[in-house]
Amino acid sequence: MKKILILLALVLCATNFLWAQIDEKLKKDIRNTGYLHNSPLPLDYSKSFEVFGLTKKVVKSDLFSDMEDLNGWSHEGIGGLKLTKERSISGKNSLRLTAPTTYPQFLDWGLGFGTSMASFDVNGANWEKYNRIRLFIYPNCEGDRSIYLNLYIENDGKIKVPDKYGREGIHEMNLINGQWNEVFVEMPELPRDKVTKLKFAIEVFGKERTMGDSLIFDIDAVSLETVENPEVVSGWTPAKNRIIHSTTGYRVQSDKSAIVRVEKHNGNFELIDHATNDVVYNGKINRKKTLIGDFETINFSDFKKEGQYTIRVGEVTTKPFYINQNIWDDSAWRVLNFIFCERCGYPVPGKHGACHADLNGTFNEKVFPVNGGWHDAADMSQQTLQTGELAYSLLEMASNAKEKNNQELYLRLMEEAKWGLDYILKTRLDDGYRAQTWGTNLWTDGFIGTKDDSTKRRKVRVHDRAFENFLFSGIEAYASTMIADDEMLKFNLQKVAIEDYAFAKERFDRLGFDELSGGGGGDHAAMASNSQYMANISYSASLLFKLTGDQYYAKEAAKAIKYTLDCQRTQPLKDKDRLRGFFYRDLNKKSIVHYTHQSRDFIYMQALTTLCETQPDNPDYQKWKASIEMYGDYLKTIMKYVDPYGMMPSGVYHVDEVKDSLNFYRVQVGISEGAGKDYKKQLENGVKLDSEHYLRVFPVWFSFRGNAAVHLSTGKAAALSGKFLNDKKLLDIAEQQLFWIVGKNPFGQSLIWGEGSNYAQQYTALLGETVGEIPVGMQSKFNGDEPYWPQFNTATYKEIWNSSATKWLSLISEF
Ligand SMILES: [Ca+2]
Ligand SMILES: [Ca+2]
Ligand SMILES: [Zn+2]
């Protein structure tokens, strides 16, 4: 009997392990998806920013247009504009903007095939007394599962809108089909002293499987409003009466801190158990003057009891969050949900059919179709390397789930990773050639050779660049070690890993770094610096060494890293911290490594820590270790520039980097010359370290902004070096990158939709709002160096992006 009881206890424990998630509702949601992914996770709008925003007190509201006549309105592009009496919110009429779902040619303005645009002449009115626009929209788009309408505001006053990069004043409104949507956008910082135009635009993206022939939007009751407590959208100081914390929560041993801006309090804060309403912890509010301002902060790191809690300061209480050992596992499920919905060539229930079967490329005069893997972003473009790196991070997280005995999560991650691995194998052609990239922003028509698959960037680009093959060989090698249930796949991955390394090596020995400017060109992988490239080679070789035990790869790994080590700054700068330890792009040491968009900043520490792990007896071991220590010290030192926040700064810049033009423009997207003036201003808005160096919190950047993938990648470097050096400070820095994403930022928003609370709509375009979506990331304003996060929802910063999801998974796999 005792034995049976023990057995029963063991079974029960095992069952508990299978359901190690924390959130009961999520558990139910996962079950309801059919355990795995028969359908995406349901959208919980109740904790969204938009629902919260509509609860704000309106102190002034003026009806701007009730759409009773067409005076002042005009139409451009495809489709049309008229009044309708079919439905209305105010009066009898609504404005009806229509477009066909597809079009025989490209208009060459707007996105996709083109735009149906309604424009209203505002005549230079001053809107500065208002801080919000509110309106009602009823989409009636047959069969359309991802619906949005764009709103544009143009200003001709002191500051022009749109700006030169076309990012300001554009707002994507994500909508639910077949019902009135009450929509608003707060505009506290939008220049609006002389508003010339208010526009609505439908983008025509083609006909997805279930869609009909037309897109119809009825718009009514546009009001200009003034609300109390509009969001603060720039700078480091939070809005009034906010407690800035990780809305997901904290691990038991996390550094548990928050930033408080509450008008009336008694100097103390309380932690309240959400289930019992008991005050479980009391602490003092600290005042702190840092390099970015005066703050009040709290810390409850010594409170280690798992549970669901709120923080209370004065009369302000946060939404509930968790303290839990496995705090990041729920986010893995959610981000996984986003990744699943981004699958290409696969029918995702409620999202899209098996897509893009007609996208094609040519190799050896033969045409091949290619879909699969995951779309990169909202526009459905694909870069095979992104799919490869995403598969890699899914495997990293799978390894973490396995270690923690979270079998459900492990299986699901492995399943999704295998979807990506198939694409990695499928895109291999011959002799090291691979289908590498294609751009689209359309649901294509299924016919090969029509305009939607054969014009401009839509054709699949094929090349045999060594850089990609080095990376793929490492991904394939790691995948081979992770596959446990498919011997044939496991063996094949090992075989192609060896082949791809050999292809890369042969080409790299012949062409060196020059191939990156020639090669495929124009894609984000080409941002790689020489020092990063050599670290990539080293890491892939180490992975092959781990897989095969072949000393050849160990030697390759140790040889390649020598170049990288020679690029590390070992001489201190002349600032008072005597900063050093960062890496230069190449041996010329004119340009320092920074990332602006895609980032592979972790590769330096990944390569070095893996060398130390796999070759502890190598004569260079002490050099590798010293390099890791120096870099770790660098990261720890620069964190003071963002205190009391934890977002990793971009790092040190040399004043003349802009003159190193080949390097400089390679890391920028959408600008290829003439950045000298702005470069200088951007540095001057950072911190001057010595006569030649500045520190920037945000990257120097221009058209493409948003740093989630950037600071998460450096966070990964902090985690890797922290683990190797057994340095809790570095691990805390790594986790701060996660906290920033889920709410410990000045705006208190979670940047992952559905994760934690106060998550806002993102630029989702063809995919539609999706649980787990994560954007390109926080931006800075023009040449400034402070965070800037307006509600205006547009690319680049708010566009959902698999690269950010990749870095998220990769970093949480360290905890
Ligand atoms: Ca009306
Ligand atoms: Ca086609
Ligand atoms: Zn697709």
Side-chain angles (χ1 to χ4, degrees):
M1 186 62 187
K2 210 174 169 187
K3 250 187 187 168
I4 291 174
L5 280 177
I6 291 167
L7 210 68
L8 192 67
L10 277 173
V11 170
L12 285 174
C13 282
T15 319
N16 275 337
F17 265 123
L18 288 186
W19 287 108
Q21 290 79 39
I22 310 148
D23 181 339
E24 285 298 318
K25 182 174 171 293
L26 176 67
K27 193 191 291 183
K28 201 172 129 235
D29 288 342
I30 292 164
R31 280 211 185 90
N32 291 344
T33 65
Y35 260 162
L36 296 180
H37 57 250
N38 287 341
S39 66
L41 287 168
L43 296 159
D44 181 357
Y45 292 100
S46 70
K47 291 186 281 179
S48 71
F49 167 76
E50 284 75 13
V51 166
F52 157 66
L54 279 174
T55 66
K56 290 189 187 186
K57 192 176 168 195
V58 180
V59 290
K60 183 177 178 62
S61 181
D62 291 333
L63 192 61
F64 173 73
S65 173
D66 60 1
M67 307 295 192
E68 294 305 297
D69 59 58
L70 284 175
N71 289 340
W73 287 99
S74 60
H75 183 267
E76 294 168 87
I78 32 188
L81 179 70
K82 61 176 190 174
L83 290 178
T84 177
K85 288 191 187 310
E86 208 175 310
R87 58 181 63 87
S88 67
I89 291 287
S90 66
K92 293 195 173 89
N93 297 334
S94 294
L95 187 78
R96 174 165 288 183
L97 183 63
T98 63
T101 50
T102 187
Y103 204 62
Q105 75 259 9
F106 291 101
L107 277 193
D108 288 331
W109 65 274
L111 300 171
F113 287 109
T115 301
S116 172
M117 184 176 279
S119 276
F120 185 82
D121 199 343
V122 185
N123 264 327
N126 186 315
W127 284 3
E128 285 174 320
K129 64 182 168 194
Y130 306 109
N131 56 24
R132 180 167 100 167
I133 298 181
R134 190 170 60 103
L135 63 147
F136 291 82
I137 307 169
Y138 190 110
N140 183 8
C141 305
E142 183 192 330
D144 194 347
R145 293 178 281 203
S146 310
I147 297 177
Y148 80 84
L149 186 69
N150 269 330
L151 175 118
Y152 294 77
I153 298 167
E154 292 182 7
N155 189 59
D156 193 26
K158 268 178 250 145
I159 300 171
K160 314 285 181 211
V161 178
D163 59 305
K164 68 174 162 180
Y165 302 120
R167 310 292 184 192
E168 296 287 305
I170 301 170
H171 182 54
E172 174 187 290
M173 301 174 285
N174 295 332
L175 304 168
I176 299 169
N177 205 357
Q179 66 179 61
W180 279 111
N181 293 252
E182 185 180 7
V183 176
F184 70 90
V185 61
E186 289 189 11
M187 49 182 182
E189 290 196 12
L190 184 79
R192 53 192 188 283
D193 52 332
K194 195 180 173 189
V195 180
T196 50
K197 290 269 197 277
L198 174 71
K199 297 175 173 181
F200 296 103
I202 308 173
E203 306 291 359
V204 176
F205 289 132
K207 197 167 164 179
E208 209 282 307
R209 188 88 74 239
T210 56
M211 282 165 70
D213 294 327
S214 62
L215 304 165
I216 302 167
F217 293 86
D218 294 339
I219 306 162
D220 202 9
V222 181
S223 302
L224 294 170
E225 299 186 327
T226 310
V227 293
E228 260 183 18
N229 299 322
E231 295 301 298
V232 167
V233 301
S234 73
W236 295 104
T237 308
K240 263 185 279 180
N241 294 323
R242 299 283 170 95
I243 299 168
I244 299 299
H245 66 296
S246 163
T247 68
T248 298
Y250 305 82
R251 280 180 314 135
V252 173
Q253 65 273 58
S254 292
D255 172 29
K256 302 183 207 67
S257 57
I259 296 148
V260 170
R261 191 181 173 208
V262 176
E263 287 191 299
K264 284 180 203 151
H265 64 67
N266 60 4
N268 294 301
F269 72 96
E270 292 168 328
L271 212 56
I272 297 157
D273 187 314
H274 186 57
T276 62
N277 233 5
D278 293 337
V279 175
V280 292
Y281 188 91
N282 253 296
K284 283 232 166 316
I285 295 171
N286 305 305
R287 280 178 170 265
K288 200 171 189 183
K289 188 175 175 60
T290 76
L291 292 166
I292 54 171
D294 292 318
F295 298 91
E296 293 196 320
T297 63
I298 60 173
N299 195 304
F300 47 101
S301 298
D302 56 340
F303 183 79
K304 294 181 189 288
K305 190 169 169 256
E306 292 196 342
Q308 202 179 7
Y309 304 96
T310 58
I311 302 167
R312 186 163 64 201
V313 175
E315 283 173 12
V316 178
T317 306
T318 65
K319 287 217 160 45
F321 59 87
Y322 295 98
I323 293 178
N324 190 284
Q325 193 48 36
N326 300 311
I327 192 72
W328 303 115
D329 287 5
D330 283 356
S331 77
W333 282 105
R334 292 192 174 102
V335 171
L336 195 45
N337 180 75
F338 164 52
I339 293 160
F340 168 63
C341 293
E342 284 279 37
R343 280 192 187 189
C344 178
Y346 182 93
V348 179
K351 285 290 185 189
H352 60 81
C355 48
H356 299 121
D358 50 339
L359 289 183
N360 64 88
T362 307
F363 184 65
N364 286 343
E365 291 168 22
K366 288 176 284 193
V367 176
F368 65 91
V370 62
N371 59 354
W374 301 281
H375 304 121
D376 286 349
D379 68 355
M380 314 264 122
S381 291
Q382 269 248 42
Q383 188 189 345
T384 307
L385 185 57
Q386 256 198 193
T387 280
E389 290 179 320
L390 179 47
Y392 184 92
S393 69
L394 287 164
L395 293 169
E396 282 186 293
M397 190 57 201
S399 172
N400 170 291
K402 196 178 182 182
E403 252 170 55
K404 291 203 268 183
N405 242 330
N406 189 342
Q407 182 72 359
E408 240 64 29
L409 181 56
Y410 165 73
L411 288 172
R412 180 66 192 89
L413 285 158
M414 287 304 294
E415 191 230 0
E416 198 63 30
K418 284 181 204 161
W419 173 257
L421 293 176
D422 181 67
Y423 190 67
I424 293 169
L425 296 173
K426 175 181 182 173
T427 49
R428 291 181 90 241
L429 299 165
D430 210 358
D431 290 334
Y433 282 85
R434 194 185 284 272
Q436 302 274 10
T437 54
W438 42 268
T440 188
N441 45 19
L442 300 172
W443 297 115
T444 52
D445 63 4
F447 294 100
I448 291 178
T450 50
K451 282 186 176 138
D452 61 13
D453 61 58
S454 61
T455 50
K456 295 180 188 165
R457 67 199 180 103
R458 294 180 167 81
K459 206 137 186 99
V460 177
R461 206 157 61 210
V462 173
H463 62 76
D464 66 341
R465 220 158 56 180
F467 178 73
E468 277 83 351
N469 274 328
F470 278 126
L471 264 69
F472 281 117
S473 75
I475 293 163
E476 291 151 357
Y478 181 61
S480 181
T481 62
M482 283 293 294
I483 299 289
D485 57 353
D486 185 342
E487 277 301 309
M488 305 304 147
L489 178 61
K490 190 181 181 70
F491 175 77
N492 188 246
L493 284 164
Q494 171 162 348
K495 187 177 110 176
V496 302
I498 292 167
E499 283 178 9
D500 285 349
Y501 191 90
F503 286 135
K505 167 99 177 130
E506 188 278 326
R507 187 175 153 88
F508 184 70
D509 285 349
R510 200 157 33 88
L511 299 174
F513 299 117
D514 289 349
E515 65 154 11
L516 277 185
S517 44
D523 58 72
H524 304 329
M527 292 175 182
S529 62
N530 297 0
S531 60
Q532 180 218 302
Y533 197 141
M534 296 311 283
N536 279 117
I537 295 177
S538 174
Y539 183 57
S540 287
S542 285
L543 290 173
L544 275 159
F545 175 51
K546 276 174 118 169
L547 176 66
T548 63
D550 186 340
Q551 285 295 330
Y552 163 74
Y553 296 113
K555 282 189 194 124
E556 284 276 299
K559 194 175 90 187
I561 208 69
K562 285 178 196 284
Y563 183 103
T564 306
L565 290 183
D566 285 344
C567 294
Q568 190 169 24
R569 171 91 187 196
T570 54
Q571 284 295 105
L573 301 184
K574 295 190 182 93
D575 65 320
K576 67 174 182 302
D577 297 314
R578 298 170 59 77
L579 266 180
R580 59 176 191 161
F582 51 84
F583 290 88
Y584 287 96
R585 286 181 62 88
D586 55 39
L587 296 175
N588 289 329
K589 299 195 176 176
K590 285 183 182 160
S591 294
I592 298 161
V593 172
H594 339 273
Y595 294 86
T596 60
H597 192 53
Q598 276 194 352
S599 174
R600 300 185 172 86
D601 203 16
F602 48 82
I603 190 63
Y604 297 82
M605 290 304 112
Q606 211 168 28
L608 284 162
T609 55
T610 309
L611 279 166
C612 289
E613 174 207 330
T614 54
Q615 303 189 54
D617 300 326
N618 191 292
D620 282 349
Y621 181 91
Q622 288 305 331
K623 275 192 204 163
W624 302 336
K625 187 169 174 240
S627 169
I628 297 167
E629 283 167 345
M630 206 189 295
Y631 185 77
D633 285 344
Y634 167 67
L635 294 184
K636 284 189 280 187
T637 310
I638 63 173
M639 291 309 291
K640 72 175 184 188
Y641 295 104
V642 290
D643 188 33
Y645 295 92
M647 189 201 78
M648 179 68 72
S650 172
V652 178
Y653 287 75
H654 188 271
V655 288
D656 287 336
E657 282 182 36
V658 72
K659 293 180 188 160
D660 182 15
S661 60
L662 185 66
N663 271 319
F664 186 82
Y665 291 106
R666 198 180 267 176
V667 299
Q668 299 296 344
V669 191
I671 179 166
S672 54
E673 56 179 356
K677 255 193 192 160
D678 286 332
Y679 180 73
K680 190 163 178 282
K681 277 191 188 148
Q682 291 199 27
L683 291 196
E684 284 165 3
N685 283 323
V687 178
K688 190 166 186 178
L689 297 172
D690 64 22
S691 60
E692 294 180 352
H693 297 91
Y694 285 83
L695 183 129
R696 285 269 308 177
V697 169
F698 285 91
V700 165
W701 50 16
F702 303 91
S703 177
F704 272 53
R705 291 156 189 259
N707 74 340
V710 177
H711 73 90
L712 288 171
S713 291
T714 313
K716 174 81 175 182
L720 292 169
S721 52
K723 278 190 174 172
F724 175 76
L725 299 169
N726 203 11
D727 187 333
K728 184 171 186 297
K729 241 184 173 174
L730 283 168
L731 284 166
D732 285 344
I733 290 170
E735 197 172 29
Q736 288 292 337
Q737 310 318 307
L738 305 174
F739 294 149
W740 171 275
I741 294 280
V742 296
K744 203 187 156 197
N745 55 61
F747 318 111
Q749 284 187 19
S750 170
L751 271 57
I752 300 178
W753 207 98
E755 177 66 23
S757 52
N758 203 25
Y759 38 82
Q761 292 194 357
Q762 299 181 28
Y763 182 79
T764 60
L766 280 73
L767 188 63
E769 213 78 78
T770 303
V771 171
E773 73 198 20
I774 171 169
V776 173
M778 192 66 68
Q779 63 170 343
S780 56
K781 199 176 195 176
F782 304 116
N783 288 329
D785 195 22
E786 295 187 326
Y788 177 43
W789 196 243
Q791 193 194 339
F792 284 82
N793 181 23
T794 189
T796 311
Y797 59 112
K798 290 215 177 170
E799 182 170 356
I800 56 172
W801 200 29
N802 261 341
S803 197
S804 304
T806 300
K807 305 316 179 217
W808 179 266
L809 288 175
S810 180
L811 187 48
I812 64 170
S813 79
E814 300 293 335
F815 292 97

